[in-house]
Amino acid sequence: MNLTTRHMAAFRQRLNPLNTQVEWLVNEDTYDYHQEVANAGFGDMLHDKERNQKYFIVIKKTIASMRAEGQEVHVLDIGTGTGILSMMALYVGADTVTACEAFVPMANCAEKILKANNFGDRIKLIKKRSTDIRIGEDMERKANLLVTEILDTELIGEGALAIYNHAHANLLTEHALCIPCKATCYAQVVQSSLAAQWNSLKLLVNLDGDVLLKPSPDVLNCSGEPSVHDIQMSQLPLDQIKPLTHPIEIFEFDFKCKEPIDVQRSRNILVKAFIPGSTDLVFFWWDIKMDFKEEVLLSCAPFWAHPNFKELKVKSSPRLPLTNVVPWRDHWMQAIYYIPRPLKLTPSDNEFILNCNHDEFSWWFNVFPNESNNFEKQTKRHACLCRFHITYSRSRIGQINQAQRNKRYLRFLENNIHKDSNVLVLGHGCILGLACCSLGASKVWCHEPHKFSRHFMESLVQYNKLNSVYLVESLKDLETEILNSLTHIIAEPYFLTSILPWDNFYFGYLLTKISEKLNRLVKISPFAASIYAVPVEFLDLHKIKAPVRECEGFDLSLFHKMVEVSMSISQAKVEAHPLWEYPCRALADPVELLKVEFRRFDIDKHHQGEITVKEPGLCNGVCLWVDWFLDKSGDSKSVVSSGPIASIIPGEFIKWDMFTRQGVHFIDNNQAIKANILEWSVIFKSKSAHLNFNFNIRHK
């Protein structure tokens, strides 16, 4: 008799962004486990060759040095992950190795990997947090060498300071060495109107430059959110950033020091700008000195500040963009921190005080004029009080400010809105809808069900004295008489529940709720939307999904199999990514997969086709986006795209919109070979509000 293992079924809630309804799905009771494994992000680190090689070099070098001094070597590996650092340590001669991992699925996988590499009985694996380990119970003795990787983009965001402090106090000997040994954090003060768009609200002006809407004082005077804006900084257009200072060393963290690391520090640094400008923001990154002699350096600097840029440039392929010459990693990026109130520096007044702060997990920055009473000044971590910065994502804030995009909407509005217009605006935080009032509309109703978004819109309405604007929490609040009187229904559209570009098709779903009560002559904008796709070759982004079978000579195929299974169970076929940060070459012309007209949104659609991958390259992904057609004209100036900002040319790198996230389907590495045909299908079911994509590689 054959016996098969059957898991219990479990119900799981999911918000469907196309209709904002909560759906109940039936999954195996292991679904949460698989989701945790699939999203853990260990694979990205294991593809970081520089990181892996330098860890291996320094572990070997350090253990050899300790051996030469007659020491036994007892290693503790905190947050072992796959066990790779533990295996390195034992392979090059450690006497004992203890590894700990609190993420149980990963710990179980590490246990199997250690056995597969014949280290199972020689590395002690503890499945708990290092702060819960007790000497004499979990560990036989204290370790004299700590190898760990518990850092993130902010360096300290994963609780590294507390972990190091606890380890030195409880788990390490008096003179224990640490790998990495020391970290240095850098700040560079920069002016950038482009980057500042992610944190501020600009004036909204018409096509003639006349002001339509002014930000309210509570938004203008708000300090904003201090939270990190992690970013692939090397991809920022150099002509859009203006460094005012050189990179400045702001803090060091000595990980080998037995004395506790301060978990909260503040420092004021007198800085002289080498060019006048506005202190809009701080670029932040760090480097680590891997060994106790501080000879091996790993830097997370953007390419223009990277200490090894010239050397790496000589060794790189001439086809590789300069922005991608330095080692790529998505687990350690760079960060932007926005200055609450920037200073305007002049040639004669170019010195200022840079105020740098960190607590146990995060950073914040400020600037003060160069005055004696400011040198001892400190600032608490600021917070958004206007609700604008905490309601909308960075990309949405930038989108609201995007001049070229707004021009296309305003051109449509100026040509269509008149004194007899009654307008319904569907979407969250649609200030373009408020502009209808400034353009002379008789009445404007804005559908704003979200409390904080409604608060922001109310502040704009009141400050700009838009007396004919009404904010409604629910469409049910609109009487039939009002709905029948509407001349226009407009949207960008944008909804807070949207993640992928087509999630904003929720606009069509809302229309179906009121369609029977509308005047048949009402104008709807956008009139339609199309989803486009193009097969691409990513330079790096595909690595977050690429298999990891081997790393520095160690067999990690069990890890790959575990992640592969979990991804097949829990991962969506299409993910959202800001593709301007991740260069890719087009391997074919873009193809329209689906077009919906919002007046006929209730029609189901099923399309399929194929794309010939005609350019040489590795087809490791498909990029998807939405174009919104504001009217029926077909005029390119009436199209707003969430995808490329210039025509796609096969074989060349795509220029993506910087204020939206596009969809990405990753091609399995086993299929991603040259000369393929990409088969695709898309099914749209309006009543259930489901949109499903399928992609498959067919070899020629």
Side-chain angles (χ1 to χ4, degrees):
M1 182 173 65
N2 293 325
L3 296 176
T4 57
T5 301
R6 182 177 177 85
H7 294 286
M8 295 277 293
F11 288 99
R12 177 176 65 89
Q13 281 186 324
R14 186 192 73 168
L15 179 71
N16 183 339
L18 290 180
N19 60 9
T20 69
Q21 301 299 304
V22 174
E23 300 174 342
W24 287 95
L25 305 178
V26 179
N27 297 111
E28 291 185 349
D29 59 0
T30 56
Y31 180 85
D32 288 343
Y33 156 82
H34 288 297
Q35 195 170 46
E36 282 189 272
V37 170
N39 294 325
F42 289 96
D44 171 33
M45 291 184 259
L46 295 169
H47 283 294
D48 187 344
K49 290 184 178 179
E50 183 194 31
R51 167 191 177 274
N52 301 331
Q53 290 172 355
K54 288 188 174 179
Y55 262 105
F56 207 177
I57 289 168
V58 171
I59 288 172
K60 181 178 181 179
K61 176 181 171 182
T62 302
I63 290 177
S65 175
M66 294 172 73
R67 283 259 181 234
E69 294 176 357
Q71 297 184 58
E72 290 186 354
V73 182
H74 301 288
V75 175
L76 172 62
D77 175 8
I78 295 178
T80 192
T82 61
I84 185 71
L85 300 185
S86 291
M87 292 190 289
M88 289 178 180
L90 199 60
Y91 181 80
V92 298
D95 292 283
T96 66
V97 177
T98 301
C100 73
E101 176 59 58
F103 182 41
V104 175
M106 197 67 245
N108 292 337
C109 182
E111 190 172 40
K112 295 175 183 177
I113 290 172
L114 296 178
K115 288 180 181 177
N117 286 272
N118 299 314
F119 293 115
D121 58 348
R122 294 190 287 160
I123 294 175
K124 182 173 183 180
L125 179 63
I126 303 172
K127 300 178 184 180
K128 59 170 66 174
R129 297 178 184 275
S130 64
T131 50
D132 294 331
I133 291 176
R134 300 291 179 265
I135 300 297
E137 297 178 17
D138 304 298
M139 289 174 61
E140 183 179 336
R141 62 173 68 81
K142 290 186 176 183
N144 61 353
L145 176 60
L146 173 64
V147 295
T148 186
E149 199 281 81
I150 49 175
L151 311 176
D152 68 349
T153 294
E154 292 192 277
L155 186 78
I156 58 177
E158 294 183 1
L161 301 185
I163 292 170
Y164 273 107
N165 286 342
H166 177 270
H168 276 295
N170 300 280
L171 307 177
L172 303 177
T173 61
E174 183 71 24
H175 301 292
L177 299 178
C178 295
I179 301 173
C181 171
K182 184 182 290 185
T184 305
C185 297
Y186 299 85
Q188 184 174 26
V189 182
V190 174
Q191 173 180 314
S192 174
S193 57
L194 173 73
Q197 287 184 204
W198 284 309
N199 191 59
S200 58
L201 182 61
K202 292 182 177 180
L203 296 170
L204 183 66
V205 299
N206 66 13
L207 300 180
D208 294 325
D210 301 321
V211 175
L212 297 177
L213 287 174
K214 296 179 181 178
S216 57
D218 62 331
V219 174
L220 283 177
N221 297 327
C222 183
S223 296
E225 271 296 285
S227 56
V228 60
H229 184 182
D230 50 347
I231 198 171
Q232 294 286 355
M233 196 172 288
S234 290
Q235 302 305 324
L236 281 170
L238 288 182
D239 62 351
Q240 297 292 318
I241 57 177
K242 179 182 174 183
L244 305 184
T245 70
H246 297 290
I248 304 160
E249 294 186 16
I250 54 173
F251 283 112
E252 275 194 347
F253 295 87
D254 187 352
F255 297 135
K256 70 181 184 301
C257 182
K258 192 70 177 176
E259 294 299 315
I261 302 171
D262 290 334
V263 295
Q264 184 146 0
R265 290 185 289 179
S266 180
R267 183 184 178 197
N268 287 340
I269 305 170
L270 180 62
V271 179
K272 184 174 183 177
F274 54 75
I275 191 171
S278 175
T279 61
D280 295 333
L281 43 96
V282 166
F283 285 169
F284 171 93
W285 65 87
W286 50 262
D287 63 33
I288 45 176
K289 296 174 179 69
M290 303 290 291
D291 59 319
F292 68 96
K293 291 185 179 179
E294 301 184 11
E295 295 174 342
V296 180
L297 179 78
L298 189 151
S299 175
C300 292
F303 81 93
W304 68 80
H306 199 284
N308 306 121
F309 173 69
K310 291 182 179 179
E311 177 187 342
L312 293 166
K313 180 183 175 183
V314 171
K315 294 179 180 178
S316 68
S317 165
R319 295 188 65 206
L320 196 66
L322 288 180
T323 55
N324 286 69
V325 164
V326 300
W328 181 87
R329 45 183 67 97
D330 216 41
H331 52 283
W332 298 335
M333 295 195 281
Q334 300 79 38
I336 294 176
Y337 295 92
Y338 298 94
I339 300 298
R341 289 173 181 79
L343 297 176
K344 302 294 184 184
L345 304 177
T346 66
S348 60
D349 185 16
N350 59 358
E351 289 188 332
F352 64 96
I353 296 168
L354 176 63
N355 172 243
C356 313
N357 309 270
H358 76 81
D359 57 22
E360 191 172 346
F361 301 102
S362 56
W363 297 85
W364 65 99
F365 296 86
N366 213 326
V367 293
F368 309 133
N370 179 19
E371 299 170 0
S372 58
N373 60 323
N374 283 333
F375 279 94
E376 301 300 321
K377 189 175 181 179
Q378 296 187 12
T379 56
K380 293 182 179 179
R381 184 174 168 83
H382 51 275
C384 169
L385 300 178
C386 72
R387 301 185 182 178
F388 172 68
H389 304 89
I390 60 174
T391 300
Y392 308 107
S393 65
R394 302 280 192 199
S395 58
R396 172 56 179 167
I397 292 174
Q399 188 182 64
I400 289 173
N401 291 314
Q402 199 174 1
Q404 287 300 114
R405 176 179 178 275
N406 289 344
K407 279 183 182 179
R408 300 205 169 187
Y409 285 105
L410 289 169
R411 182 179 291 109
F412 171 83
L413 295 177
E414 290 189 7
N415 290 335
N416 285 273
I417 301 301
H418 45 77
K419 65 179 182 178
D420 297 322
S421 296
N422 289 329
V423 183
L424 173 61
V425 182
L426 298 178
H428 299 153
C430 181
I431 67 171
L432 288 161
L434 298 183
C436 292
C437 181
S438 303
L439 293 171
S442 174
K443 292 181 180 179
V444 178
W445 291 269
C446 294
H447 178 228
E448 280 289 350
H450 189 279
K451 181 179 178 181
F452 283 7
S453 185
R454 191 166 62 252
H455 177 274
F456 162 66
M457 294 288 278
E458 283 173 348
S459 71
L460 286 181
V461 169
Q462 293 173 10
Y463 183 66
N464 289 276
K465 299 179 180 179
L466 305 178
N467 299 324
S468 58
V469 171
Y470 308 91
L471 301 180
V472 293
E473 188 172 346
S474 172
L475 290 179
K476 294 178 181 178
D477 297 337
L478 294 174
E479 298 175 356
T480 301
E481 184 180 349
I482 292 175
L483 292 172
N484 189 252
S485 72
L486 295 175
T487 59
H488 297 80
I489 300 178
I490 67 167
E492 300 184 38
Y494 170 82
F495 299 94
L496 289 167
T497 49
S498 64
I499 298 174
L500 290 159
W502 45 88
D503 289 345
N504 291 309
F505 283 10
Y506 179 49
F507 170 61
Y509 178 80
L510 288 177
L511 285 174
T512 63
K513 293 293 184 184
I514 59 174
S515 58
E516 293 182 357
K517 300 177 182 179
L518 297 176
N519 184 318
R520 64 182 181 85
L521 298 178
V522 64
K523 290 185 178 180
I524 296 173
S525 180
F527 162 74
S530 288
I531 299 176
Y532 290 89
V534 63
V536 301
E537 179 181 30
F538 286 110
L539 294 185
D540 296 298
L541 182 61
H542 64 291
K543 295 174 185 175
I544 67 174
K545 301 295 181 184
V548 182
R549 296 186 176 91
E550 178 272 339
C551 182
E552 298 303 308
F554 299 99
D555 181 6
L556 300 183
S557 56
L558 287 170
F559 168 74
H560 164 62
K561 290 177 183 176
M562 179 186 77
V563 174
E564 191 174 46
V565 169
S566 292
M567 286 173 57
S568 68
I569 292 172
S570 67
Q571 290 286 278
K573 292 179 182 177
V574 180
E575 302 176 8
H577 292 279
L579 290 184
W580 72 268
E581 296 186 51
Y582 303 102
C584 60
R585 291 191 312 112
L587 299 181
D589 291 309
V591 170
E592 183 184 71
L593 306 189
L594 174 74
K595 185 170 185 176
V596 296
E597 293 183 12
F598 291 109
R599 195 180 284 274
R600 305 169 65 197
F601 190 72
D602 56 351
I603 299 176
D604 291 350
K605 293 178 182 288
H606 181 192
H607 301 302
Q608 60 187 27
E610 59 183 42
I611 306 171
T612 301
V613 180
K614 55 188 179 182
E615 287 295 322
L618 194 69
C619 180
N620 50 29
V622 182
C623 299
L624 302 100
W625 67 94
V626 172
D627 281 359
W628 304 93
F629 301 90
L630 302 187
D631 56 31
K632 300 179 183 180
S633 68
D635 185 348
S636 61
K637 292 183 179 180
S638 294
V639 179
V640 176
S641 180
S642 64
I645 58 173
S647 297
I648 290 179
I649 301 174
E652 296 189 7
F653 287 99
I654 303 173
K655 296 180 180 178
W656 296 101
D657 178 72
M658 296 181 66
F659 302 103
T660 53
R661 292 194 293 177
Q662 294 74 33
V664 178
H665 170 78
F666 292 100
I667 302 292
D668 186 285
N669 267 42
N670 295 323
Q671 291 187 303
I673 61 175
K674 297 178 181 178
N676 293 322
I677 290 175
L678 176 68
E679 298 177 331
W680 61 267
S681 67
V682 57
I683 299 174
F684 172 60
K685 295 185 177 180
S686 61
K687 289 184 180 179
S688 60
H690 284 124
L691 184 58
N692 294 314
F693 300 92
N694 277 295
F695 298 96
N696 182 57
I697 292 290
R698 190 178 85 236
H699 305 303
K700 285 185 177 179

